[in-house]
């Protein structure tokens, strides 16, 4: 059996996701007949049926489900390889760091300052994103290293925990719960959070703070964020039965860059000098 081509996988994935040859052809910017021929050729090449076609619908066979799953992973890997090659071939070297805004355990300024003293150090570009965006950025080649709240999807990623800190709840200063010095999750049951009012889009800190001050939501930041963002319209209270947040430094498992290794080493050194705040 000859090796699969990226083009074949792209064609099959489009059909498998759309389950409609016409929509898949439109998505690929091609006519339907050559797409249908390409899928039949692929089935002959593999010696298995990938799709069940009727006059009314298209569905996946078990072999097709496997190829869709693995094909998506393969296409992601190819795209990531291209991005990493482009980044490595730049005239000016650099390290791309991704993190959720303010979710660095309060360590980032010290990490960057100490990293500059490393022999392998290169200029660092910092990319802020929403929670859950860091691991995909490492996997698909958009970032070289990350500071990320754990747990997270660590497929193909290595990581080291840096710091663990308790979570608080951010309340409007006018909220009746402010009268209590400590809270439990039961006290906050039914209270909406940022994801409940955002329609699935990420909110920046200014938007979150504004909604908290208006009493529209509650929010659960770690200790380092509460220390950094004291606001007259917001009161922070500890939530005793809420799991603490661990911040980890993470990098692609296949990374061999001295600059990445130096950053990880620096982050762990800085973290070792910070007293534990969990509990």
């Amino acid at each position: 059996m000859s090796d699969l081509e990226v083009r074949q996988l792209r064609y099959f994935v489009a059909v498998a996701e759309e389950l409609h040859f016409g929509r898949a052809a439109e998505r690929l910017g091609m006519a339907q007949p050559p797409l249908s021929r390409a899928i039949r050729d692929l089935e002959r090449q593999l010696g298995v049926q990938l799709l069940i076609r009727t006059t009314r619908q298209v569905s996946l066979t078990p072999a097709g489900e496997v190829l869709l799953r693995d094909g998506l992973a393969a296409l992601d890997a190819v795209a990531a390889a291209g991005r990493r090659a482009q980044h490595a071939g730049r005239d000016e070297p650099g390290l791309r760091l991704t993190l959720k805004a303010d979710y660095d355990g309060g360590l980032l300024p010290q990490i960057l300052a100490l990293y500059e003293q490393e022999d392998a150090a290169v200029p660092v570009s910092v990319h802020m994103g929403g929670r859950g965006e860091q691991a995909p950025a490492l996997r698909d080649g958009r970032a070289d290293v990350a500071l990320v709240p754990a747990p997270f999807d660590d497929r193909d990623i290595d990581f080291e925990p840096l710091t663990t800190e308790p979570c608080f709840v951010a309340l409007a200063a006018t909220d009746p719960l402010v009268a209590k010095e400590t809270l439990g999750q039961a006290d906050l049951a039914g209270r909406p959070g940022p994801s409940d009012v955002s329609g699935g889009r990420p909110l920046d800190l200014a938007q979150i703070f504004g909604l908290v001050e208006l009493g529209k939501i509650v929010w659960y930041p770690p200790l380092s964020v509460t220390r950094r963002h004291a606001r007259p319209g917001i009161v922070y209270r500890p939530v005793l039965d809420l799991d603490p947040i661990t911040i980890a430094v993470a990098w692609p498992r296949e990374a061999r860059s001295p600059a990445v290794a130096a950053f990880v080493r620096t982050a762990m050194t800085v973290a070792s000098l910070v007293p534990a705040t969990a509990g």
Side-chain angles (χ1 to χ4, degrees):
M1 183 187 75
S2 60
D3 292 336
L4 292 177
E5 299 177 1
V6 172
R7 173 185 57 83
Q8 292 175 298
L9 288 177
R10 288 182 58 247
Y11 287 1
F12 173 74
V13 165
V15 175
E17 289 186 331
E18 299 290 345
L19 293 178
H20 190 282
F21 277 88
R23 289 195 298 268
E26 183 177 354
R27 168 174 156 181
L28 292 165
M30 64 187 298
Q32 183 174 332
L35 176 59
S36 298
R37 288 194 297 271
I39 298 300
R40 287 196 298 270
D41 290 344
L42 176 60
E43 289 177 318
R44 282 194 293 268
Q45 178 181 335
L46 295 176
V48 295
Q49 184 178 3
L50 300 170
L51 301 168
I52 299 171
R53 308 160 178 85
T54 70
T55 56
R56 296 193 174 195
Q57 65 179 11
V58 176
S59 58
L60 291 169
T61 66
E65 291 176 354
V66 170
L67 186 59
L68 174 59
R69 181 196 66 207
D70 293 347
L72 284 168
L75 291 175
D76 287 344
V78 169
R83 279 189 284 267
R84 291 191 183 103
Q86 289 176 327
H87 181 66
R90 293 173 54 194
D91 292 335
E92 295 293 331
L95 186 77
R96 298 164 299 172
L97 167 65
T98 180
L99 70 154
K100 184 181 185 320
D102 276 324
Y103 277 62
D104 62 354
L107 304 179
L108 184 57
Q110 300 97 305
I111 292 173
L112 293 178
L114 187 59
Y115 176 71
E116 290 178 355
Q117 302 175 29
E118 289 278 344
D119 292 339
V122 296
V124 178
S125 58
V126 179
H127 304 272
M128 303 290 186
R131 185 160 189 171
E133 296 179 9
Q134 291 72 42
L138 292 176
R139 274 192 291 272
D140 68 18
R142 288 179 289 126
D144 304 303
V145 67
L147 297 178
V148 55
F152 61 94
D153 180 359
D154 62 358
R155 288 178 294 115
D156 303 318
I157 292 173
D158 285 331
F159 67 94
E160 288 287 346
L162 296 178
T163 184
T164 299
E165 51 187 347
C167 281
F168 285 64
V169 62
L171 300 165
T174 56
D175 194 303
L177 287 178
V178 168
K180 302 181 69 171
E181 288 301 316
T182 60
L183 298 168
Q185 293 186 65
D187 297 310
L188 301 157
R191 295 290 192 98
S195 61
D196 298 312
V197 301
S198 67
R201 60 184 176 84
L203 300 177
D204 60 33
L205 282 179
Q207 292 171 316
I208 290 173
F209 284 134
L211 289 169
V212 170
E213 289 175 331
L214 291 172
K216 301 295 186 182
I217 64 170
V218 297
W219 178 51
Y220 300 95
L223 175 61
S224 58
V225 173
T226 70
R227 288 173 171 170
R228 191 177 298 170
H229 295 285
R231 297 172 69 98
I234 291 177
V235 174
Y236 299 108
R237 289 288 182 259
V239 184
L240 298 183
D241 56 350
L242 200 62
D243 289 338
I245 286 183
T246 295
I247 302 297
V249 59
W251 63 97
R253 187 162 294 156
E254 76 280 1
R256 299 294 181 270
S257 163
V260 169
F263 186 92
V264 171
R265 183 169 59 249
T266 300
M268 294 176 66
T269 297
V270 170
S272 71
L273 301 176
V274 177
T277 55

